[in-house]
Amino acid sequence: MENYKKEFIEFMVESNVLKFGDFTLKSGRKSPFFMNAGAYVTGSQLKRLGQYYAQAIHNCYGEDFDVLFGPAYKGIPLSVATVIAFSELYGKEIRYCSNRKEAKDHGEAGILLGSSMKDGDKVVVIEDVTTSGKSIEETFPIIKAQGNVEIVGLMVSLNRMEKGKGTKSALEEIQELYGFKANAIVSMADVAEHLYNKECQGRIVIDDKMKEAIDAYYQQYGVK
């Protein structure tokens, strides 16, 4: 596992974004872990987050794209932080674009904020986490309505490795349905491998008991 991935896993725990315990998800599933990207709130956190995303995007998709699209609302700061980091790390100017929940009819009118998109643009979509693919269902037609643009791929921070609507993970379902690649900075398998019985932030967050709970969760909800 690359060093930046190990650092990112510890960063999620340090930022109180990735928690371990007993949580009830929106889906009703009882989960031993929970991720809340809304806990990234400081300047230093957002700077580091953008750097991790930029490295993962660069590793997966290179530099041959023009626009980073962050769906409202959480995707807005993610896209801004990441295009800044991409410029600093790789010297490549990528434009950021996001959608508004409601179209604006005055001033800078329309449904988009940030950069517009034009024929020939290549787009990478950035999100925090995808569990059902619902966000992409809303995002895909918005991007495609902007012209003859190509969606190169999707990048999320954590692949929960759970069944989506069927027997495959949400990222696999997105890839099959829309025809573009879907990747994550790290997967829960990476997280378990890196943190199991290892001290992080002065404590062991995945001990034997938590590892058993995670394994049991994936026995029920994990993808094969």
Side-chain angles (χ1 to χ4, degrees):
M1 194 190 315
E2 294 97 323
N3 277 335
Y4 81 90
K5 294 188 176 186
K6 295 177 182 177
E7 290 175 9
F8 179 64
I9 291 167
E10 295 178 20
F11 172 60
M12 285 193 289
V13 175
E14 169 194 324
S15 302
N16 213 28
V17 165
L18 182 59
K19 304 178 187 179
F20 297 90
D22 186 14
F23 306 95
T24 302
L25 307 179
K26 280 183 182 177
S27 61
R29 294 176 182 176
K30 300 280 189 182
S31 173
F33 58 90
F34 180 71
M35 182 192 165
N36 173 26
Y40 296 120
V41 292
T42 70
S44 61
Q45 285 175 332
L46 289 169
K47 180 177 181 179
R48 288 180 65 187
L49 182 61
Q51 290 170 343
Y52 292 128
Y53 264 108
Q55 288 176 85
I57 289 170
H58 194 268
N59 277 4
C60 290
Y61 305 121
E63 299 179 12
D64 187 21
F65 68 101
D66 309 287
V67 177
L68 190 62
F69 187 92
Y73 288 103
K74 286 183 180 177
I76 298 172
L78 293 181
S79 60
V80 172
T82 303
V83 295
I84 293 170
F86 215 92
S87 174
E88 290 177 344
L89 291 174
Y90 305 110
K92 175 73 187 283
E93 295 294 357
I94 304 294
R95 292 149 28 220
Y96 99 90
C97 179
S98 295
N99 63 299
R100 306 175 196 272
K101 288 291 188 179
E102 295 178 358
K104 189 179 176 186
D105 59 5
H106 60 281
E108 186 189 355
I111 198 170
L112 301 182
L113 60 100
S115 172
S116 59
M117 285 181 275
K118 60 184 186 298
D119 288 353
D121 275 343
K122 294 182 179 180
V123 181
V124 171
V125 181
I126 183 170
E127 292 195 54
D128 55 348
V129 66
T130 296
T131 50
S132 67
K134 185 180 178 185
S135 178
I136 283 292
E137 283 180 23
E138 298 170 354
T139 300
F140 185 80
I142 292 171
I143 294 173
K144 284 298 186 179
Q146 306 311 309
N148 183 22
V149 300
E150 176 190 350
I151 300 178
V152 175
L154 166 70
M155 181 62 69
V156 301
S157 59
L158 178 68
N159 179 1
R160 288 185 60 102
M161 300 174 60
E162 296 175 43
K163 295 172 186 172
K165 294 176 181 176
T167 58
K168 298 181 178 179
S169 73
L171 291 184
E172 289 173 316
E173 288 175 353
I174 287 167
Q175 204 158 292
E176 285 192 1
L177 187 59
Y178 297 101
F180 54 79
K181 293 179 180 178
N183 291 287
I185 303 176
V186 293
S187 68
M188 272 306 296
D190 295 329
V191 171
E193 175 191 329
H194 183 60
L195 292 182
Y196 179 46
N197 277 339
K198 177 185 175 183
E199 191 171 293
C200 181
Q201 295 300 298
R203 59 197 174 93
I204 293 176
V205 291
I206 300 183
D207 56 14
D208 290 340
K209 185 177 179 182
M210 180 53 64
K211 181 67 163 58
E212 285 177 14
I214 292 171
D215 289 345
Y217 184 77
Y218 280 108
Q219 280 290 323
Q220 187 171 4
Y221 299 116
V223 292
K224 302 297 182 187

